[in-house]
Amino acid sequence: TDSLASNPDLDVWKEACWLAERHSSLSPIQIFQMATLHGGTAIGRSDLGRFQEGGLACMWVIEPDVGLGSRPWEALFDPRSRRLGIVYRAEWIAID
């Protein structure tokens, strides 16, 4: 995220959800890439935002809304889905 000037939250996942809700021209895959690959690339960190040998193990764990289970990309940023936690440097961090 860049700042509160462009969205109502500094949480990257919440910002992605906000973006998905307001910009239907962007696909969930494009938003996912913006929050992962493009973010790491923008700050010159090829070890961030992608699965690769030697990369940092950092990822969200999302529980999709039951009605969206057959559409995982759409469920990823749907407000009815919820983030259970984060795996950060291979450690589980639960979100209340």
Side-chain angles (χ1 to χ4, degrees), residues 14 31 78 84 89:
K14 289 180 182 176
I31 295 170
D78 190 280
L84 300 177
R89 296 183 182 255

Side-chain angles (χ1 to χ4, degrees), residues 3-4 7 10 12 33-34 39-40 50 53 61 66 80-83 85:
S3 72
L4 290 175
N7 69 88
L10 294 177
V12 174
Q33 290 172 334
M34 290 167 70
R50 51 189 52 83
E53 185 176 338
V61 178
V66 175
R80 295 168 289 179
S81 296
R82 67 185 189 112
R83 186 173 48 182

Side-chain angles (χ1 to χ4, degrees), residues 48-51 55-62 83-95:
L48 298 177
R50 51 189 52 83
F51 286 109
L56 298 173
C58 303
M59 64 195 85
W60 305 318
V61 178
I62 308 295
R83 186 173 48 182
L84 300 177
I86 299 170
V87 176
Y88 180 71
R89 296 183 182 255
E91 295 205 24
W92 173 251
I93 301 169
I95 296 181

Side-chain angles (χ1 to χ4, degrees):
T1 186
D2 55 355
S3 72
L4 290 175
S6 64
N7 69 88
D9 204 294
L10 294 177
D11 180 303
V12 174
W13 182 67
K14 289 180 182 176
E15 180 176 356
C17 292
W18 180 86
L19 189 63
E21 185 178 328
R22 283 157 184 78
H23 297 279
S24 60
S25 63
L26 294 171
S27 74
I29 293 172
Q30 288 174 302
I31 295 170
F32 180 77
Q33 290 172 334
M34 290 167 70
T36 57
L37 296 173
H38 300 319
T41 300
I43 61 171
R45 294 283 307 268
S46 63
D47 60 328
L48 298 177
R50 51 189 52 83
F51 286 109
Q52 67 183 30
E53 185 176 338
L56 298 173
C58 303
M59 64 195 85
W60 305 318
V61 178
I62 308 295
E63 179 181 50
D65 179 83
V66 175
L68 298 168
S70 64
R71 298 189 333 252
W73 282 110
E74 286 78 8
L76 183 59
F77 302 118
D78 190 280
R80 295 168 289 179
S81 296
R82 67 185 189 112
R83 186 173 48 182
L84 300 177
I86 299 170
V87 176
Y88 180 71
R89 296 183 182 255
E91 295 205 24
W92 173 251
I93 301 169
I95 296 181
D96 299 324

